[in-house]
Amino acid sequence: MRLRDRVVVSVLTGVGIAAVLRLADWWFRADHIAEPVLFALLSLAFWYGISRVVLGWINYAAIAKPAHRPAPAGHSVAIFTTSSPGEPLSMFEKTLAACAEIRYPHTTYLLDDTQDARFGAVAERFGARHLELIGLPGAKAGKINRALSLTNEDFILVLDPDHIPFPEFLDRVLGHFDDDSVGFVQVSQAYYNQSRSFTAAAAAQQTYAFYGPGQMGLYGHGAAVAIGANCTFRRKALESIGGHGIGLAEDLVTAIRLHAAEWKSVYVPEIVSRGLVPEDLGSFFRQQMKWSRGVYEVVFAELPHAIGALGWRQRLSYLTIGTYYFFGATTLLYLIFPYLYLWTGFQPTSMRFAEFIAETGPVALVGVVLYLFVQRWMCDRDTETGLHLKGLALKIACWPIFLAGTLLAIVRADIPYIPTAKESVRGRFLNLAWPSLLLIFIYVVTLLHVINVRLRASEGSLELSSGAVWGMLLFATLPVLMSGGAIRAAWQARSLPKRPPWDEVDVTRSGEA
């Protein structure tokens, strides 16, 4: 990050924070409160969103990239990749073949609980060691911890089985372990199947900013996190915390424990492997349910124990990550308020719509400008820049999933660890699209109701209520427009791609991918 870049980010952040303070001064005026309880709920939803934006700005202000350190000779390195029942054997042929092409000397281990002899044969064919680990608790993390006790390499790369590493992978990360305080090195995560469906493209878009300026900012704050794939750990670091963390968000659990134990993390914003992102809406929903329930473990279970050992920037970073899925609850409130007013006349606030636009406009403008500016730190600028509207549409479509994950976390309900599907899974359109279709139905009925009421109203009452009515209709219309993405994704889920995505990958040219 050059000096002039940091100046631009700092200036934009300063202007944005000033606009937020001005907005807060205007928002919390007594004459804006129409119904106190509703106003409090609306303020919770609105300022949760604003706080996420401001925290993003603070994160961007710390963007940093480590200088490359050549990998020294002589390190003993293991690659752990896991297999589970039902995962396609042909995918492992590509992954293990690519692992064999990694230039730095290493040993690849297949941690297998499929009880299928063909997996052992594939591992042997590509020079990997086959560890049959059956019936262990803790899913993927349980197998990793058992494998730690059966191996002795100093560094362990945890590689998801759907990721195809490039030959230079280890050369780009091992040099950072010359600093004895570094516990793990995380690299970017990218995908080779993101063009195969609307869901895949949208899901990939949701990750671009995180794996670019997002993680680079966390690294600048000393809080770069492990992602569960493409992360290389120092064995001593894992042993110091009793092994890899277990849970639905085992990567974040491991990261916060390592940071609390005063191990440093390094983030290398380079694409040295590509993997899979869910291609169908049903698989994406299941993945998001697992994550939305699991991430709260950081806030409810891990952060209270680790908070005293973390720096303030690390605390803020983990709190920010751990509350990401509260978006589901706030979206529900945003959906309810317009319809509550249009049907009953009850509204949480008496703000004029034009004033609201005037006060929020500067915050929104700075947010968009800064979001576009930091895209110069995307990991693959040729394909990852833009407004990412597909990703936004899919995020909004997931609000019921996020809400369910939040409620399950509050009551401490357990859900099983289910690996993300590696191939498309056929889904029924109505099963996947019904929340969006229901929203559209309610919107159309409400629109007809508003038209009918206003046709019968007097000229004076129309003039008095026009601003509020059209403002609420606008707020109701935006999520309906965005629901088109979810409907498209649900429609695509009725049919599956003809070939699995890894069939199109040539691992002999993976370094050019």
Side-chain angles (χ1 to χ4, degrees), residues 37 100 132 173 181 183 216 227 244 247 362 381 403 426 506:
V37 174
E132 193 169 32
V173 302
S181 64
M216 292 175 71
I227 304 303
H244 199 286
R381 289 180 62 183
L403 178 61
R426 190 185 304 275
D506 180 1

Side-chain angles (χ1 to χ4, degrees), residues 198-412:
F198 179 90
T199 298
Q205 283 185 4
Q206 292 183 7
T207 70
Y208 294 160
F210 177 74
Y211 287 114
Q215 272 276 54
M216 292 175 71
L218 289 174
Y219 169 67
H221 284 299
V225 295
I227 304 303
N230 301 335
C231 191
T232 306
F233 295 94
R234 187 189 298 270
R235 176 183 289 271
K236 288 182 180 179
L238 287 178
E239 290 175 345
S240 72
I241 60 169
H244 199 286
I246 292 177
L248 296 174
E250 74 274 357
D251 46 0
L252 286 176
V253 169
T254 305
I256 193 172
R257 290 177 181 176
L258 287 171
H259 283 140
E262 299 185 351
W263 291 99
K264 295 179 183 178
S265 60
V266 173
Y267 179 65
V268 178
E270 299 180 24
I271 297 174
V272 288
S273 79
R274 285 192 182 267
L276 296 178
V277 69
E279 295 183 356
D280 66 276
L281 190 59
S283 295
F284 183 75
F285 279 167
R286 286 186 288 274
Q287 179 196 69
Q288 295 302 303
M289 174 60 79
K290 178 178 69 175
W291 290 355
S292 62
R293 169 61 185 93
V295 163
Y296 281 106
E297 294 176 9
V298 174
V299 177
F300 293 157
E302 297 296 328
L303 192 55
H305 293 100
I307 194 166
L310 299 174
W312 72 266
R313 294 195 292 179
Q314 291 174 324
R315 298 172 195 167
L316 185 62
S317 297
Y318 279 109
L319 182 63
T320 302
I321 295 170
T323 55
Y324 172 81
Y325 291 101
F326 192 64
F327 172 83
T330 59
T331 301
L332 176 62
L333 293 174
Y334 280 131
L335 293 175
I336 287 175
F337 285 131
Y339 295 103
L340 181 65
Y341 173 76
L342 294 172
W343 281 95
T344 69
F346 285 103
Q347 57 181 340
T349 177
S350 58
M351 303 171 184
R352 288 183 173 274
F353 180 68
E355 290 182 8
F356 174 81
I357 296 299
E359 296 295 333
T360 57
V363 179
L365 179 61
V366 172
V368 172
V369 170
L370 193 51
Y371 182 75
L372 294 175
F373 182 79
V374 300
Q375 289 186 11
R376 62 188 59 207
W377 294 289
M378 295 294 195
C379 293
D380 184 1
R381 289 180 62 183
D382 291 340
T383 63
E384 294 181 352
T385 55
L387 291 176
H388 307 140
L389 295 180
K390 291 181 180 178
L392 178 60
L394 198 61
K395 179 180 178 179
I396 293 174
C398 280
W399 75 264
I401 307 296
F402 296 170
L403 178 61
T406 301
L407 296 176
L408 289 171
I410 291 173
V411 301
R412 302 296 178 92

Side-chain angles (χ1 to χ4, degrees), residues 48-309:
Y48 165 81
I50 295 294
S51 70
R52 303 294 302 187
V53 173
V54 173
L55 289 170
W57 297 343
I58 294 172
N59 193 52
Y60 295 150
I63 285 175
K65 176 183 177 180
H68 173 64
R69 295 186 176 188
H75 281 324
S76 59
V77 183
I79 298 177
F80 286 176
T81 190
T82 62
S83 56
S84 299
E87 291 184 318
L89 180 66
S90 58
M91 179 183 71
F92 286 86
E93 293 177 338
K94 290 294 175 73
T95 300
L96 294 175
C99 288
E101 296 293 323
I102 292 178
R103 289 191 288 261
Y104 196 94
H106 65 280
T107 302
T108 301
Y109 295 88
L110 177 61
L111 317 184
D112 177 31
D113 69 347
T114 63
Q115 297 182 288
D116 185 337
R118 297 177 300 164
F119 282 79
V122 167
E124 183 179 0
R125 191 198 324 163
F126 292 107
R129 296 186 183 181
H130 180 245
L131 299 181
E132 193 169 32
L133 306 175
I134 307 299
L136 295 175
K140 170 185 168 182
K143 285 184 278 190
I144 290 173
N145 287 335
R146 178 58 176 155
L148 285 173
S149 69
L150 300 174
T151 59
N152 58 13
E153 286 83 0
D154 293 328
F155 302 97
I156 297 96
L157 164 60
V158 176
L159 184 75
D160 274 3
D162 61 343
H163 278 256
I164 296 177
F166 300 170
E168 68 272 21
F169 193 119
L170 293 175
D171 294 312
R172 306 306 299 176
V173 302
L174 289 176
H176 296 287
F177 287 106
D178 286 349
D179 181 347
D180 291 336
S181 64
V182 171
F184 66 91
V185 178
Q186 177 69 55
V187 299
S188 179
Q189 189 160 304
Y191 314 97
Y192 62 85
N193 70 326
Q194 61 191 44
S195 63
R196 285 167 54 96
S197 70
F198 179 90
T199 298
Q205 283 185 4
Q206 292 183 7
T207 70
Y208 294 160
F210 177 74
Y211 287 114
Q215 272 276 54
M216 292 175 71
L218 289 174
Y219 169 67
H221 284 299
V225 295
I227 304 303
N230 301 335
C231 191
T232 306
F233 295 94
R234 187 189 298 270
R235 176 183 289 271
K236 288 182 180 179
L238 287 178
E239 290 175 345
S240 72
I241 60 169
H244 199 286
I246 292 177
L248 296 174
E250 74 274 357
D251 46 0
L252 286 176
V253 169
T254 305
I256 193 172
R257 290 177 181 176
L258 287 171
H259 283 140
E262 299 185 351
W263 291 99
K264 295 179 183 178
S265 60
V266 173
Y267 179 65
V268 178
E270 299 180 24
I271 297 174
V272 288
S273 79
R274 285 192 182 267
L276 296 178
V277 69
E279 295 183 356
D280 66 276
L281 190 59
S283 295
F284 183 75
F285 279 167
R286 286 186 288 274
Q287 179 196 69
Q288 295 302 303
M289 174 60 79
K290 178 178 69 175
W291 290 355
S292 62
R293 169 61 185 93
V295 163
Y296 281 106
E297 294 176 9
V298 174
V299 177
F300 293 157
E302 297 296 328
L303 192 55
H305 293 100
I307 194 166

Side-chain angles (χ1 to χ4, degrees), residues 281 285 426-437 484 486-495:
L281 190 59
F285 279 167
R426 190 185 304 275
R428 298 183 62 180
F429 174 72
L430 289 178
N431 288 349
L432 297 172
W434 71 263
S436 297
L437 295 174
I487 292 173
R488 180 181 174 186
W491 186 259
Q492 284 185 342
R494 299 176 308 113
S495 58

